[in-house]
């Protein structure tokens, strides 16, 4: 149960929507440091860590079938060069990758391999979309608690809305994820299979970050606009918290990648489970970043309504009562 204060709806009903400039002026007026601290308090008392763990689990259950579908796509593509590109990206993204399993299946022209690829593509996409739908429903729950809303929509409406959001956002989320996390491997594969020059690879590596980040910021802003059970400000207002979520997630991704590559004990400690553990840790950090960005959006709107304190007052520890006091009462 959330103990974050309920954020009043401040969006004007006459069509004058709040935008990013309003959010930025409000943040500077109140103080960026205070906003950061108060948003963390709202995140904590809105069950942010609990919902981040649940969202991370659903994200992993969506990412793994998605990679399985990409592996099936690599095996099912008839042309060798596109299959090799897809397989190289899958090998770079897959937990515990490095043995070239996807690439080996991509160049296998046997009928059995093609049938297995079709099955993997269909089942992988199906389970990925199902897991992403439940992840969208978890986003509603976590966002509601951060906004101080104690009850979600009815189940049919909640999961139907989650399915629609999945259909709309699956493409930008998937493309943004591949561009940011697997974009380097994609550039290498294009250079190897299609003869991209060093200049083209450098241009790709320079452009994939802003394009991927823009796609994810847009997807998160749309999600924050439609997931909470309330009337939200304009997308540009929500883009501030969305950008914070994406930047924090990118920092966590880069830090985790640096730790895994530079640490000599990571692989030896976790062995064959190192890739799986890295995926779980990445999903958790990204989920925390997402809900913290949500808390920033919520706290900014609460401040605009004159509500400074992000959480309800602490009722304190209940005092013990004796049997005599209860009888006398």
């Amino acid at each position: 149960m959330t103990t974050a204060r309920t954020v009043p709806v401040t969006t004007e009903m006459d069509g004058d929507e709040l935008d990013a400039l309003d959010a930025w002026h409000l943040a500077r007026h109140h103080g960026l440091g205070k906003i950061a601290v108060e948003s963390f308090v709202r995140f904590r008392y809105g069950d942010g860590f609990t919902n981040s763990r649940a969202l991370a689990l659903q994200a992993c259950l969506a990412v793994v079938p998605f990679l399985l579908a990409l592996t099936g796509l690599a095996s099912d593509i008839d042309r060798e060069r596109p299959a090799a590109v897809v397989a190289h990206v899958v090998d770079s993204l897959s937990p515990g990758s490095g043995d070239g399993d996807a690439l080996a299946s991509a160049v296998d022209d046997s009928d059995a391999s093609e049938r297995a690829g079709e099955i993997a593509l269909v089942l992988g996409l199906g389970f990925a979309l199902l897991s992403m739908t439940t992840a969208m429903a978890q986003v509603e729950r976590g966002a509601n608690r951060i906004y101080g809303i104690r009850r979600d929509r009815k189940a049919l409406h909640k999961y139907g809305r989650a399915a629609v959001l999945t259909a709309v956002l699956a493409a930008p989320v998937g493309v943004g994820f591949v561009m940011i996390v697997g974009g380097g491997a994609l550039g290498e594969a294009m250079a190897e299979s299609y003869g991209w020059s060093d200049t083209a690879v450098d241009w790709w590596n320079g452009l994939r970050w802003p394009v991927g980040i823009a796609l994810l910021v847009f997807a998160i802003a749309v999600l924050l606009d439609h997931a909470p059970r309330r009337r939200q400000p304009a997308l540009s207002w929500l883009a501030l918290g969305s950008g914070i979520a994406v930047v924090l997630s990118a920092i966590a991704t880069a830090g985790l990648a640096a730790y895994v590559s530079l640490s000599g004990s990571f692989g030896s400690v976790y062995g064959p489970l190192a890739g799986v553990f890295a995926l779980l840790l990445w999903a958790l950090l990204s989920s925390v970043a997402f809900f913290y960005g949500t808390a920033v959006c919520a706290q900014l709107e609460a401040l605009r309504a004159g509500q400074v304190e992000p959480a309800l007052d602490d009722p304190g520890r209940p005092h013990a009562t004796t049997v005599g006091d209860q009888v006398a009462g």
Side-chain angles (χ1 to χ4, degrees):
M1 176 63 69
T2 179
T3 55
R5 289 187 182 275
T6 303
V7 178
V9 177
T10 62
T11 303
E12 289 83 0
M13 302 302 294
D14 57 3
D16 185 16
E17 294 285 352
L18 302 174
D19 56 21
L21 191 60
D22 297 323
W24 177 246
H25 286 326
L26 180 60
R28 290 192 62 184
H29 176 74
H30 190 69
L32 299 179
K34 294 180 65 176
I35 291 287
V37 173
E38 292 168 359
S39 298
F40 178 78
V41 173
R42 176 172 290 278
F43 167 84
R44 181 191 172 199
Y45 286 97
D47 291 335
F49 286 110
T50 300
N51 289 298
S52 295
R53 289 190 291 269
L55 180 59
L57 173 61
Q58 294 299 328
C60 290
L61 293 177
V63 168
V64 173
F66 176 67
L67 296 178
L68 177 63
L70 288 181
T71 304
L73 178 63
S75 301
D76 200 37
I77 294 177
D78 294 332
R79 297 182 180 180
E80 182 177 347
R81 287 193 298 179
V85 170
V86 175
H88 190 76
V89 174
V90 172
D91 281 334
S92 68
L93 294 176
S94 299
S97 63
D99 51 5
D101 288 341
L103 183 58
S105 63
V107 298
D108 187 356
D109 295 331
S110 64
D111 293 338
S113 176
E114 185 175 352
R115 286 195 298 270
E118 293 174 353
I119 294 174
L121 177 60
V122 173
L123 292 181
L125 277 180
F127 281 112
L129 292 175
L130 179 61
S131 297
M132 193 172 176
T133 299
T134 56
M136 293 294 182
Q138 185 62 43
V139 165
E140 177 184 334
R141 171 166 293 183
N144 282 342
R145 301 305 178 266
I146 287 174
Y147 274 94
I149 302 170
R150 292 170 174 79
R151 188 163 185 172
D152 300 337
R153 298 178 177 91
K154 293 183 178 180
L156 186 60
H157 191 191
K158 175 180 177 179
Y159 285 96
R161 197 181 189 89
V164 172
L165 288 173
T166 298
V168 172
L169 298 179
V173 169
V175 173
F177 170 78
V178 170
M179 292 185 74
I180 291 178
V181 181
L186 179 58
E188 295 174 0
M190 293 300 292
E192 181 178 345
S193 300
Y194 286 91
W196 275 15
S197 63
D198 293 339
T199 303
V201 173
D202 291 339
W203 273 100
W204 164 253
N205 287 328
L207 291 175
R208 69 182 178 91
W209 286 98
V211 173
I213 288 175
L215 285 173
L216 292 181
V217 168
F218 168 76
I220 292 175
V222 172
L223 191 56
L224 291 181
D225 186 28
H226 295 281
R229 194 181 183 184
R230 67 190 304 274
R231 190 169 188 267
Q232 291 287 73
L235 282 179
S236 58
W237 171 286
L238 300 173
L240 179 61
S242 304
I244 291 174
V246 173
V247 169
L248 290 178
S249 180
I251 293 174
T253 301
L256 180 60
Y259 170 71
V260 171
S261 60
L262 297 178
S263 175
S265 60
F266 185 84
S268 59
V269 170
Y270 295 102
L273 297 178
V276 176
F277 181 80
L279 175 63
L280 292 171
L281 186 56
W282 169 82
L284 177 60
L285 294 175
S286 298
S287 299
V288 170
F290 170 80
F291 281 124
Y292 180 76
T294 305
V296 171
C297 293
Q299 186 59 21
L300 281 175
E301 193 171 357
L303 289 173
R304 189 175 187 275
Q307 186 185 95
V308 179
E309 294 298 326
L312 299 174
D313 295 334
D314 188 354
R317 183 177 180 180
H319 297 287
T321 56
T322 62
V323 176
D325 292 335
Q326 294 177 353
V327 174

